[in-house]
Amino acid sequence: MFLETPPTLAGTVDKTEWSSLSRWLQLLHGSIGDNFTPRFVYSNKTASATLRLEEAGFVFVDTGAAAMTLTLPPINQAGGGTLYIFLKTDASSNLLTIDANGTETINNALTYTAINAQYEGVAIVSTETEWIAWSLV
């Protein structure tokens, strides 16, 4: 299926055409029915790394081999509202450290280091100027 760019009239969006597109999307979504299951972006990490913006979403972390550090991307690239949800999946006591990029901060600190037990987690979101974290226990 091919969707064209929005039709315009002298630089303004043609609302008639967008109404048709909106109706088409409603019909498409309705035909999906009960079998529709939303999917979330996720990645798996088993070693220290710098995260990419494409990995925003769930990050399942296995620190069974050793403690590890995951570094967030630069906040000027992430913009506001970029969300990472880190979940530790292994039973070791190895520490997971989340590092803000360079001198950027997470809750006014350079790193977040409160994850060392299985199924502990933290959600971290960007505000365009800093990262904000809240624990998921």
Side-chain angles (χ1 to χ4, degrees), residues 45-49 61-71 86-99 111-118 120-122:
K45 297 294 180 186
T46 58
S48 294
V61 182
D62 182 347
T63 62
M68 62 191 284
T69 299
L70 295 176
T71 303
F86 299 94
L87 298 169
K88 187 175 180 310
T89 59
D90 67 277
S92 76
S93 61
N94 293 330
L95 184 65
L96 167 62
T97 299
I98 310 299
D99 186 11
T111 62
Y112 184 92
T113 57
I115 304 170
N116 67 347
Q118 189 172 25
E120 281 186 343
V122 62

Side-chain angles (χ1 to χ4, degrees), residues 69-72 97-113 131:
T69 299
L70 295 176
T71 303
L72 296 167
T97 299
I98 310 299
D99 186 11
N101 194 293
T103 60
E104 296 171 357
T105 61
I106 304 168
N107 293 356
N108 295 318
L110 294 175
T111 62
Y112 184 92
T113 57
W131 295 96

